[in-house]
Amino acid sequence: MAAPSEVTALLKRGKRSVASYFKAEWSRKSGSHKSFKEFMDYLFDPRRKSIDDVETIDWCRWLIAGGSTYDEYSKTVRSFDNAVTCGLVWTANFVAYRCRTCGISPCMSLCSDCFQGGNHEGHDFNMFRSQAGGACDCGDVSVMNKAGFCSRHGPDRQCCHLAPPTDLLTVAEAMMPRILLRLLHHFRDSTKSTVYRDTFSLAMDDAEHFLTFLHSLSDMGAAMRKVIGLALTDQMSYKFLTEVEEMPDFSNSYFVESQKNYLIERKNMAIPKKDDDHKDIEGLSQNLVHDCLLDELVFWMVKYEFPEKVVTLLLSLLPDDHYKEAFTKAFVKHYSRISLVLVNGLKRTLIANRVVHISVQLFSNEVLALQMVEKYDLLYTLIVSLNDMVEGALTESSLQDYQANLHMVVDCSKEMMKEHCYWPIVSDLINLLSHKRIAHIFLSDPKLVDMWLDLLSYFQGMNVNHRELSQHVEFESETYYAAFSAELEIASSPMWSLISHCRSKDHSGNSMIMIKVCLEALQDWFHVSSPLRRTPGVPNPYQLSFHLPLHRYLATFVAQSIQYQNLKLEDFNFNENTLKALLMHPLRIQVSIAEIYCSMWVRNGLQIKGQAMTYIQCHFCYSMVDADLFLMQVCACLLDPDYFVKNVIDSFHVSNWLSFSPETTRSSFKLETEQELAMLDATLSFFSTLLGIRTYLGINDKDLTRLEMSTILCIADRQHSQLMDMMPERSGMTGHGKELFEPTLAEIADYKEPNLEVSGGLQQGTYVPKGFLWETEYDPVHTNLRALYRKDFQSSVDRYTEHVRQSGKYSGKTPPWPPFRTPKEINGTFKSLYKILHCKTMHAFLFTILHKALKDSSIPESVLYLTIHLLDLALSLPPPNTSSTVKSFSGSVPDKDYTEWFSGSCVLQNVREQIKDVLVPVTVAGDFSDLSTTQESSFEEIFQMAPSALLASGGPITAAHSGHLPSVVPVPAAIHVDSDPCPLVPIHPVSSSSAKHDTSLPKYESKGVSTDQAQRLCVPVNDSIISALIKLHSKLSKKTGSYVPLSMCKRQTSDSVIGDGPFFVAKVLDKMSRLSTDCAKSIEESYRILVPKDASSGKKRDTAKEEDRRRKARERQQKLMNKFASQQKAFMEQNPDTEPLDDEEASCSSSASESFTSFNTEQEYDCVICGKTSTSAADKTIGLVVLLQATSVLGHRLQTEEPISLPMSKDAPSVSPTTCASVQKNRLNSFFNHFEESSSQMAVNIGWEGGVSVQTCGHYLHLDCHRSYLTSLRTQDLSQNLAVNKGEYWCPLCRQLANAVLPIVPAESRYTIAKPVSKDPKQMVLDIAELMVNRPITCRSRWVTKAMGDVMEDLSNTTYSAYKSFSSSQCSEGIHLFVCSVARTNLELEILQRGCKLTPDTSVTRKNCFVPLMHVLSMHSKIFTTKPYTNLWSHMTGISCDKEDTSGGSVSLYQKEVPLLLKDTTAILIQMILTLPETFEIEHYQCLIRVLYNVTYIQALASTSCKFTPDEREAWRTKGRHNAVSTMEGMLSHVITRLGLSHLYEDMDMDKDIPAICQSVWSPHSVDMAVQESLAPFLRVASLIKYHVFSKELPSIKPGVTEFQHLCSYLELSPFPASDISHLTSASCVKWVTDEPLTIARAWCTDLANFANSHASDAKTLLLINPTWYIPKLIDLPHQYYRLFQVYNSKQCSVCGGVPKDPALCLVCAQYLCFRQQCCLQQNVNECVQHSIQCGAGTGMYLLVNSSIVVVVRGPRATLWGSVYLDEHGEEDRDLKRGKPLYLSKQRYNLLYQQWISHSFDRSCKRWIWHQNRL
């Protein structure tokens, strides 16, 4: 389309010029805007260019900027940003903050800048990673308190800017409607192709650049946001721009067609189905009306399924209040359409997140939300939308009679339910109901409440489980959790929001509306779910649904009304039928849970148990199980108690067990004996729970919080976060907020610091219940209710038992019973609940259990203590004021008809009444007199027990005792059997399956003529509750007459609840005695009958029998001990050399370190595989289990004690300190540059980086056993644990990782020295030279030699090739250098782990293996030594060791050799030790040390002299001329004189950067201290070698003695006795072998001077290398984690330049790395793995910034070590999920450090993975 001429002319002028022109035009009031309009028409014509045209967007930037650059303009506009609120919008994964202390709305959030700018010190805040996106609420007084605002936002903000100039925004105001219209045209055009919805994303991709431009405008601040907001909400502008009529020339046909397309799309957008009553609600109307650009933009946002760029753009404008109200109205107008998009959208999860992202910003403001509810019926819109969504997932209910059930329920297998598509709408509803006024609007509208409960009825009885009886289900559905989530989110969460606003008496009317509608809804549900049943609500016993939201709404609102609105139960007018119907389904759930735990639902799979556990889980319990219990408590209060108790008993299927009939009554439930007892236990537990749980019976929030918290702590010690998570909650509410949580926790629990386990494991801080809690507040009933697993309750009982035993409160042999307590005070209206304790049925129930427990030993103890507890409650809790009918009682009672038992409901009367016999109805046939046994049996079997046996038991013999069979009589009559207070053979009803276990089953049947007359079998009982309790006391205490009535003894009663079974039984009997004199008499009478006068003689006989039994047991024990002693003596005689093992030997078969010279006494070793004990022999060589690993710990030592500081700013440069490794590498390179390669490699050691550490667990095995063990491991699937192909294995004894075996050289394979040790020093020098020449190289055994070669190969393969050789040539000296360096590495590591202090009291955790390692290294050192060390030895001693040399000394100079004074004397020491025979004597070692000490001493003097100033050096040279050479002054003068002839000092004088020991004048003492410091590293290594090789124990350092003096004394260098070395100096330890020490010193100095003359600078650098290195440390981390997080969370990687998704910090060198990303990949190895090789030779420790976890990399493995940052409660916060403030744990960081320097990660960390180079 061609542009108008005027537009064409403007286009030629350039963008800046045109922009300036238009700005000037708009600035003039009389300016003409025609050209501007034409230019806009041209620029934004959709027919000309697409929306993503870069040129168009660039024109927009220039025009808005008005002639300035866009960046300059943005900066100017931003300077006028006077927004009250921040409004920063973010998307998912953005890190934000939430402060609960400052927040008014629970949805408040702050951006990082506003949080850091506000004062939140000591507040309850957390950092979180946003899931759905959000916006910063800083400055919004409706969301948070002013105190939490930053200085830039809020009404009182400091930077309150002036209004912008009028001409600054004029062009923007004129352009903005056209810019936004262009976006709408794009959406209109794109909708033509949206038949396939995947094109939505393509349309948004096209608009990406245009939307980015709009975002940049919004980012300019409040001034520009206001311009955009006005353009979006201007109705006139929208009408002018969109309402177009077609021109005669059709020039505007595009715009006409565009408008038509839009109107069609608007009309066709679907809405939820609705009633005619709701057609006038604007949000539910089919006819959408759009008044402004914003309305249409929201429409397209919904249509295009909430594109992120559009959502964030609209949200970014919310700080403008006018716009916010308009946007909220537009959002509400389209809300019903949104619900359909949530269900039908392509990316439902993203859509849901973005909907919530919007709605939470709009509906958190109460004023705005209330306006939407009142003006636009938002609540109706939400419920209709949610109802429409739910109705799309309905199915027919299978509850009760499937064919007759008319009810429809939600099908949770539908995608809508499984994906929680309803969540955004429910979230909005909860958000609205959190506002008090809106909640009251909801509750006061019966129509709205009715709609809501109609919706909830779809969830009533959903997810029905049908008990499988024949075979296991083929497929276990996992949709049950979707059902629980749906009820919790849709029903429970809004319920708690509503209830939270009904705590005033003024709102009782609202509560009554809800209760009334609930009852109506339940009646309807009863009718439609079982229309053909006469008794509605009776559930099918083979079905189970956990979902009863209508019941729970009724329960919670009734509880709320009673507790806070002073209503009574009578006010609700429940009728009896309704109560019975209400009871059935909650009771069915309780029964079903018991059935599930009795394995009656086992064929339904594990998911049914998962449902039962979810039902009582902490997030659901208040809304489900507690509400159900309360409803049943209400029913118990209002229903007849006998009906209630009988109904419960029948429902739990225990009626058959309670029956006295000898035959099993036919029942639909066939239970095994164990199942019957378990159901009986569940019945008693249900009654105890019903009477003891007070959650909704009037307990206040404080006491409830305390109860819940104590229950959790009694089960197990808990972390703070675990306590927070496990506290039951009212879903969506902060029921146990911090205002109650923290004070309660402080009262009832003690904090236990996070200790470290012995094995190196990490523990977190926990809270332990205080002692008084067990004694006064531990509630077994509540604990049992909250126990998710049965073992949880048992755990609480075990912990209680442990406490009462440790505290001395209980000392019994049997475990104490749980301390059941009398329930505390409840609301008076619920006290009628206790009437179920005071009814005949309950008393008969308890009596039957007690009676049967006396005869049946299989009854579990839990049944007994629950029965006693219920009896105690009946005595403790008074009956309600109800009159009861008392009738005469004969003692004969009908079986199962418990209303005919006893004379009344008074417990004190009924416990005294004796049940003489039970009349069991039976149907018989034939002649009654013809009785015969069913099978052949002996006389005794027929009559159950021989009369002689009865006589021995004492007491009168009755018909029942003597075997007379019970008579069968007609109904009107019964045979009365003689009364027997203690019948020995009661008749127990048992199932046929268990008849063989019950010897009391009568083995007879009646035969005769059949008859239709019902008969009664009279079963003798002759017991009362009192007599049964007395018998039970005797049975539990295993002592006849154990209970003595209060009236017959002077016993003090106790109110304690700590005791065993007899204690609690006695307590109940004592309470009866105190409450009633009649009971006291009855107890005494029963006692006299049950315990005859001759009982005392019986007691004596029992005592004698018990004593005899103990005596025989002692005799048997003594015989066994004597037999064991004789066997032990025989063993000692056969093994005379065996000595008792001490503690050290018990844990380790023998010490790994052995002396070189102790080979004459062969040591025996225990093979941990075959178990045999033997010496190491050539054919059966013993090996030491070792772990080889590469290490760079020594290389990270610094010459300062301060650790590396972590840079705490994003722009700070990376740190690169001078390390030991870098210094030693430069030293070796310098040697290579100036000297022969072979000489250079013999002058130093390597291994500072990539050295090999050798560790052992101290266990031994045969080498052939080891080979067999490895072979067996290769056949096993150990790919997850071991690299067996690389020689890895677990130590068979201690299971520590190992990968090699060090052979123990057999004694016969060693060579001895025949020549005696000479005392002449010169001869000693010659003898050592001879040993260097005539030394054996390999062992005598070729098998041992081969084993040593294998170990050497393992040592070489352990480290990386870059660390094994620093020379390009493959020479023997290079291999020799590696061999010697392995010894140096292990010696230096041990010194490091000893803290650089060689004392006996230094704790070294690892066992040492240096001697066997030295054997291996010594052999290979000899192999790779090309020439003996005699020339070097002669050069150091000044004595010629060549027999042909007649010069009398050796002071020759080396021309291409490294000067002796530049060599590492410690390296020379190790080389010479390894080249000598392994059996050299300690005198040889002393000579070697003395010679090397002299060399090191001269080195130290030369190095120190270089640090003098020229004047000081001249003074020392002059002063020492006249001193003897044996003094330090004399030798120092000589050294200065000789070196002064070179350029060494001249170059030194010109270097101003040379460090000095001190700034003061050098005194003799300071020089000596400097020399001693230089000598210390050599002395440490020499002492440690002596300690290992010659087993000379290290002495303790005496007070006043320095380390130098201590070590010199140990090495016998001191001329003074060990008791007087405090005056020892470095010079006094020098002892020359030659007679002319000046000559040899001159030769050494001349050698160095010659080198210095040609390379003075390098000579100076090499000489001044400081041998002192401090222990390496990990980097210095900040105390507060958030400081580290803020810097490194978004820092750019120096390698790839991007911001890592998972950044990591190396804790050794502070390097910033990309973790698990391929952006920094090198040779297919990810960056962190590569860095672990470069920095730690395969070991790396990385702090993951986004999770606070430390990851340890060890070779090919990696593990999550844990976190060194803990919160204030000593807990980790992995992945920062809780976002609590974290603080550096010095204890944990030190543990990590210790494991690093001790190389113990492999044995300390248990869970390793193969990282496969992907970290």
Side-chain angles (χ1 to χ4, degrees), residues 762-827:
L762 304 178
Q763 292 182 344
Q764 301 191 53
T766 55
Y767 285 87
V768 182
K770 292 184 177 180
F772 74 85
L773 202 69
W774 295 108
E775 301 160 20
T776 60
E777 298 186 35
Y778 169 49
D779 187 349
V781 175
H782 199 270
T783 304
N784 188 47
L785 176 65
R786 292 288 183 253
L788 205 57
Y789 301 93
R790 291 292 182 257
K791 64 181 180 180
D792 290 343
F793 175 72
Q794 187 58 45
S795 171
S796 72
V797 174
D798 294 342
R799 284 159 61 86
Y800 164 77
T801 302
E802 182 183 4
H803 170 78
V804 294
R805 287 190 185 277
Q806 289 181 352
S807 62
K809 299 275 192 323
Y810 179 76
S811 58
K813 295 182 180 179
T814 57
W817 278 9
F820 292 103
R821 310 176 196 279
T822 304
K824 295 182 180 179
E825 191 65 23
I826 61 175
N827 191 299

Side-chain angles (χ1 to χ4, degrees), residues 1581-1747:
V1581 175
S1583 299
L1584 196 57
I1585 293 175
K1586 181 178 179 180
Y1587 166 72
H1588 287 304
V1589 175
F1590 301 104
S1591 300
K1592 298 294 182 180
E1593 288 298 325
L1594 292 163
S1596 301
I1597 299 180
K1598 298 177 181 179
V1601 176
T1602 64
E1603 182 194 12
F1604 170 82
Q1605 295 166 342
H1606 167 73
L1607 295 177
C1608 286
S1609 175
Y1610 175 72
L1611 292 170
E1612 300 179 27
L1613 296 173
S1614 170
F1616 311 119
S1619 59
D1620 186 20
I1621 57 173
S1622 58
H1623 302 292
L1624 188 67
T1625 62
S1626 57
S1628 57
C1629 296
V1630 176
K1631 185 177 181 181
W1632 299 95
V1633 179
T1634 180
D1635 297 331
E1636 299 178 354
L1638 287 179
T1639 304
I1640 190 171
R1642 183 187 308 115
W1644 297 345
C1645 292
T1646 303
D1647 197 7
L1648 175 59
N1650 291 337
F1651 173 63
N1653 285 333
S1654 57
H1655 304 90
S1657 178
D1658 289 342
K1660 169 200 66 177
T1661 302
L1662 292 170
L1663 188 62
L1664 282 173
I1665 290 177
N1666 191 345
T1668 302
W1669 298 95
Y1670 290 95
I1671 298 176
K1673 295 182 179 180
L1674 300 180
I1675 63 175
D1676 189 19
L1677 293 174
H1679 179 64
Q1680 294 176 310
Y1681 187 73
Y1682 86 89
R1683 292 184 56 216
L1684 181 148
F1685 184 84
Q1686 291 298 329
V1687 174
Y1688 290 96
N1689 175 49
S1690 56
K1691 184 177 180 179
Q1692 289 184 339
C1693 173
S1694 59
V1695 178
C1696 64
V1699 176
K1701 292 182 180 178
D1702 203 353
L1705 280 171
C1706 176
L1707 294 177
V1708 178
C1709 66
Q1711 185 72 32
Y1712 184 67
L1713 306 161
C1714 297
F1715 186 71
R1716 291 190 305 181
Q1717 292 176 241
Q1718 297 187 354
C1719 53
C1720 302
L1721 196 70
Q1722 296 180 21
Q1723 299 176 348
N1724 292 325
V1725 178
N1726 281 15
E1727 188 176 22
C1728 284
V1729 176
Q1730 187 66 39
H1731 183 76
S1732 71
I1733 298 172
Q1734 296 171 354
C1735 178
T1739 299
M1741 293 166 289
Y1742 304 107
L1743 175 63
L1744 304 186
V1745 176
N1746 287 342
S1747 66

